[in-house]
Amino acid sequence: DVKVTQSSRYLVKRTGEKVFLECVQDMDHENMFWYRQDPGLGLRLIYFSYDVKMKEKGDIPEGYSVSREKKERFSLILESASTNQTSMYLCASRTNGDQPQHFGDGTRLSIL
Amino acid sequence: AQKVTQAQTEISVVEKEDVTLDCVYETRDTTYYLFWYKQPPSGELVFLIRRNSFDEQNEISGRYSWNFQKSTSSFNFTITASQVVDSAVYFCALSEEYNTDKLIFGTGTRLQVFP
């Protein structure tokens, strides 16, 4: 089974802090994704990556950056956290070809 | 523009009832893919099905079935004889041929199955 692991289930940070959300997958997938999930808005894509050191902007990249130094790890960075970034963050990965994305359990982030 | 609409925000049923979750999509592409994911209270999205636009056959998997109709741009999901464990948020999603990594999600339907 594919396993996508997000480092924290719940996280509380303060406005202005630099926040790191970590995601690791154990299936050697080429592609990794970060989404945020908000009530009434569904999931929205923040960033994704096709390969190590590669990144592409999704629909809502503002205020975020990402890092992919190793194939199995994809980090989401909030450079200076703001209260409107309080949300559920979901990481996903998939291999190339006709395969679906597999998701982690999510990190519920609160910015105070 | 691509869009996925799940008009039902929340549905409540009693165990053993059948329930249908609606999904309507918009796309200009002739080749695209449709998905359903389940999000139980634990939080992770669980992949249920992927269907490409050229395959309009209905699919059945146990108590789950999917009805894809291009004429109405719908991809509806039916659970037969619902169970309490089916309680979750269900998301319908769309991706297009030349951008298969970009999933466009609907806003989700929360299904509550009561004993």
Side-chain angles (χ1 to χ4, degrees), chain A residues 50-64:
Chain A
Y50 289 121
D51 201 350
V52 175
K53 297 192 187 296
M54 303 289 287
K55 63 182 180 182
E56 296 281 344
K57 292 181 180 179
D59 294 320
I60 50 165
E62 296 78 20
Y64 303 95

PDB file of all heavy atoms in Angstrom, chain A residues 50-64:
ATOM      1  N   TYR A  50       7.312  17.666 -10.055  1.00  0.00           N
ATOM      2  CA  TYR A  50       7.454  16.505 -10.925  1.00  0.00           C
ATOM      3  C   TYR A  50       8.720  15.702 -10.623  1.00  0.00           C
ATOM      4  O   TYR A  50       8.858  14.558 -11.066  1.00  0.00           O
ATOM      5  CB  TYR A  50       7.535  16.928 -12.385  1.00  0.00           C
ATOM      6  CG  TYR A  50       6.240  17.431 -12.947  1.00  0.00           C
ATOM      7  CD1 TYR A  50       6.137  18.709 -13.472  1.00  0.00           C
ATOM      8  CD2 TYR A  50       5.116  16.634 -12.957  1.00  0.00           C
ATOM      9  CE1 TYR A  50       4.950  19.174 -14.011  1.00  0.00           C
ATOM     10  CE2 TYR A  50       3.922  17.086 -13.492  1.00  0.00           C
ATOM     11  CZ  TYR A  50       3.847  18.354 -14.017  1.00  0.00           C
ATOM     12  OH  TYR A  50       2.668  18.809 -14.541  1.00  0.00           O
ATOM     13  N   ASP A  51       9.641  16.350  -9.943  1.00  0.00           N
ATOM     14  CA  ASP A  51      10.919  15.665  -9.743  1.00  0.00           C
ATOM     15  C   ASP A  51      11.688  16.432  -8.678  1.00  0.00           C
ATOM     16  O   ASP A  51      11.313  17.547  -8.292  1.00  0.00           O
ATOM     17  CB  ASP A  51      11.699  15.629 -11.063  1.00  0.00           C
ATOM     18  CG  ASP A  51      12.762  14.547 -11.090  1.00  0.00           C
ATOM     19  OD1 ASP A  51      13.034  13.933 -10.026  1.00  0.00           O
ATOM     20  OD2 ASP A  51      13.335  14.326 -12.169  1.00  0.00           O
ATOM     21  N   VAL A  52      12.783  15.848  -8.266  1.00  0.00           N
ATOM     22  CA  VAL A  52      13.633  16.517  -7.277  1.00  0.00           C
ATOM     23  C   VAL A  52      14.042  17.893  -7.802  1.00  0.00           C
ATOM     24  O   VAL A  52      14.381  18.049  -8.972  1.00  0.00           O
ATOM     25  CB  VAL A  52      14.877  15.656  -7.002  1.00  0.00           C
ATOM     26  CG1 VAL A  52      15.830  16.378  -6.064  1.00  0.00           C
ATOM     27  CG2 VAL A  52      14.461  14.324  -6.406  1.00  0.00           C
ATOM     28  N   LYS A  53      13.944  18.869  -6.942  1.00  0.00           N
ATOM     29  CA  LYS A  53      14.300  20.259  -7.217  1.00  0.00           C
ATOM     30  C   LYS A  53      13.405  20.924  -8.255  1.00  0.00           C
ATOM     31  O   LYS A  53      13.660  22.054  -8.674  1.00  0.00           O
ATOM     32  CB  LYS A  53      15.775  20.375  -7.635  1.00  0.00           C
ATOM     33  CG  LYS A  53      16.733  19.947  -6.531  1.00  0.00           C
ATOM     34  CD  LYS A  53      18.161  20.337  -6.858  1.00  0.00           C
ATOM     35  CE  LYS A  53      19.138  19.764  -5.837  1.00  0.00           C
ATOM     36  NZ  LYS A  53      18.925  20.315  -4.492  1.00  0.00           N
ATOM     37  N   MET A  54      12.358  20.255  -8.677  1.00  0.00           N
ATOM     38  CA  MET A  54      11.406  20.855  -9.615  1.00  0.00           C
ATOM     39  C   MET A  54      10.152  21.248  -8.846  1.00  0.00           C
ATOM     40  O   MET A  54       9.717  20.529  -7.949  1.00  0.00           O
ATOM     41  CB  MET A  54      11.018  19.850 -10.704  1.00  0.00           C
ATOM     42  CG  MET A  54      12.182  19.303 -11.479  1.00  0.00           C
ATOM     43  SD  MET A  54      12.900  20.535 -12.576  1.00  0.00           S
ATOM     44  CE  MET A  54      11.634  20.605 -13.837  1.00  0.00           C
ATOM     45  N   LYS A  55       9.555  22.387  -9.224  1.00  0.00           N
ATOM     46  CA  LYS A  55       8.302  22.804  -8.600  1.00  0.00           C
ATOM     47  C   LYS A  55       7.471  23.583  -9.599  1.00  0.00           C
ATOM     48  O   LYS A  55       8.004  24.244 -10.486  1.00  0.00           O
ATOM     49  CB  LYS A  55       8.568  23.637  -7.353  1.00  0.00           C
ATOM     50  CG  LYS A  55       9.298  24.930  -7.616  1.00  0.00           C
ATOM     51  CD  LYS A  55       9.577  25.683  -6.326  1.00  0.00           C
ATOM     52  CE  LYS A  55      10.320  26.984  -6.616  1.00  0.00           C
ATOM     53  NZ  LYS A  55      10.653  27.722  -5.380  1.00  0.00           N
ATOM     54  N   GLU A  56       6.174  23.489  -9.408  1.00  0.00           N
ATOM     55  CA  GLU A  56       5.234  24.212 -10.261  1.00  0.00           C
ATOM     56  C   GLU A  56       4.176  24.846  -9.372  1.00  0.00           C
ATOM     57  O   GLU A  56       3.705  24.220  -8.414  1.00  0.00           O
ATOM     58  CB  GLU A  56       4.530  23.262 -11.235  1.00  0.00           C
ATOM     59  CG  GLU A  56       5.444  22.576 -12.243  1.00  0.00           C
ATOM     60  CD  GLU A  56       5.801  23.497 -13.390  1.00  0.00           C
ATOM     61  OE1 GLU A  56       5.120  24.523 -13.571  1.00  0.00           O
ATOM     62  OE2 GLU A  56       6.777  23.190 -14.108  1.00  0.00           O
ATOM     63  N   LYS A  57       3.767  26.054  -9.705  1.00  0.00           N
ATOM     64  CA  LYS A  57       2.705  26.703  -8.946  1.00  0.00           C
ATOM     65  C   LYS A  57       1.365  26.081  -9.270  1.00  0.00           C
ATOM     66  O   LYS A  57       1.080  25.724 -10.417  1.00  0.00           O
ATOM     67  CB  LYS A  57       2.668  28.197  -9.275  1.00  0.00           C
ATOM     68  CG  LYS A  57       3.876  28.965  -8.771  1.00  0.00           C
ATOM     69  CD  LYS A  57       3.762  30.438  -9.115  1.00  0.00           C
ATOM     70  CE  LYS A  57       4.973  31.197  -8.600  1.00  0.00           C
ATOM     71  NZ  LYS A  57       4.892  32.645  -8.950  1.00  0.00           N
ATOM     72  N   GLY A  58       0.551  25.979  -8.240  1.00  0.00           N
ATOM     73  CA  GLY A  58      -0.823  25.554  -8.423  1.00  0.00           C
ATOM     74  C   GLY A  58      -1.740  26.757  -8.538  1.00  0.00           C
ATOM     75  O   GLY A  58      -1.353  27.797  -9.066  1.00  0.00           O
ATOM     76  N   ASP A  59      -2.926  26.633  -7.977  1.00  0.00           N
ATOM     77  CA  ASP A  59      -3.906  27.709  -8.090  1.00  0.00           C
ATOM     78  C   ASP A  59      -3.718  28.827  -7.060  1.00  0.00           C
ATOM     79  O   ASP A  59      -4.098  29.960  -7.304  1.00  0.00           O
ATOM     80  CB  ASP A  59      -5.319  27.129  -7.930  1.00  0.00           C
ATOM     81  CG  ASP A  59      -5.661  26.195  -9.073  1.00  0.00           C
ATOM     82  OD1 ASP A  59      -5.308  26.523 -10.228  1.00  0.00           O
ATOM     83  OD2 ASP A  59      -6.266  25.138  -8.820  1.00  0.00           O
ATOM     84  N   ILE A  60      -3.150  28.483  -5.908  1.00  0.00           N
ATOM     85  CA  ILE A  60      -3.059  29.480  -4.825  1.00  0.00           C
ATOM     86  C   ILE A  60      -1.669  29.470  -4.187  1.00  0.00           C
ATOM     87  O   ILE A  60      -1.517  29.211  -3.001  1.00  0.00           O
ATOM     88  CB  ILE A  60      -4.142  29.256  -3.749  1.00  0.00           C
ATOM     89  CG1 ILE A  60      -4.170  27.786  -3.287  1.00  0.00           C
ATOM     90  CG2 ILE A  60      -5.524  29.635  -4.284  1.00  0.00           C
ATOM     91  CD1 ILE A  60      -4.940  27.579  -2.001  1.00  0.00           C
ATOM     92  N   PRO A  61      -0.614  29.791  -4.925  1.00  0.00           N
ATOM     93  CA  PRO A  61       0.741  29.705  -4.376  1.00  0.00           C
ATOM     94  C   PRO A  61       1.161  30.876  -3.485  1.00  0.00           C
ATOM     95  O   PRO A  61       2.167  30.787  -2.770  1.00  0.00           O
ATOM     96  CB  PRO A  61       1.601  29.684  -5.642  1.00  0.00           C
ATOM     97  CG  PRO A  61       0.808  30.483  -6.626  1.00  0.00           C
ATOM     98  CD  PRO A  61      -0.638  30.200  -6.324  1.00  0.00           C
ATOM     99  N   GLU A  62       0.392  31.956  -3.498  1.00  0.00           N
ATOM    100  CA  GLU A  62       0.817  33.168  -2.794  1.00  0.00           C
ATOM    101  C   GLU A  62       0.950  32.902  -1.296  1.00  0.00           C
ATOM    102  O   GLU A  62       0.040  32.364  -0.656  1.00  0.00           O
ATOM    103  CB  GLU A  62      -0.200  34.295  -3.031  1.00  0.00           C
ATOM    104  CG  GLU A  62      -0.325  34.750  -4.482  1.00  0.00           C
ATOM    105  CD  GLU A  62      -1.165  33.794  -5.335  1.00  0.00           C
ATOM    106  OE1 GLU A  62      -1.945  33.010  -4.760  1.00  0.00           O
ATOM    107  OE2 GLU A  62      -1.019  33.826  -6.568  1.00  0.00           O
ATOM    108  N   GLY A  63       2.082  33.309  -0.776  1.00  0.00           N
ATOM    109  CA  GLY A  63       2.349  33.151   0.656  1.00  0.00           C
ATOM    110  C   GLY A  63       2.992  31.824   1.022  1.00  0.00           C
ATOM    111  O   GLY A  63       3.279  31.575   2.193  1.00  0.00           O
ATOM    112  N   TYR A  64       3.212  30.999   0.003  1.00  0.00           N
ATOM    113  CA  TYR A  64       3.796  29.672   0.234  1.00  0.00           C
ATOM    114  C   TYR A  64       5.022  29.472  -0.652  1.00  0.00           C
ATOM    115  O   TYR A  64       5.138  30.091  -1.712  1.00  0.00           O
ATOM    116  CB  TYR A  64       2.789  28.563  -0.102  1.00  0.00           C
ATOM    117  CG  TYR A  64       1.494  28.620   0.639  1.00  0.00           C
ATOM    118  CD1 TYR A  64       0.381  29.255   0.085  1.00  0.00           C
ATOM    119  CD2 TYR A  64       1.363  28.028   1.889  1.00  0.00           C
ATOM    120  CE1 TYR A  64      -0.818  29.302   0.760  1.00  0.00           C
ATOM    121  CE2 TYR A  64       0.157  28.067   2.574  1.00  0.00           C
ATOM    122  CZ  TYR A  64      -0.930  28.704   1.997  1.00  0.00           C
ATOM    123  OH  TYR A  64      -2.118  28.752   2.672  1.00  0.00           O
TER     124      TYR A  64
END
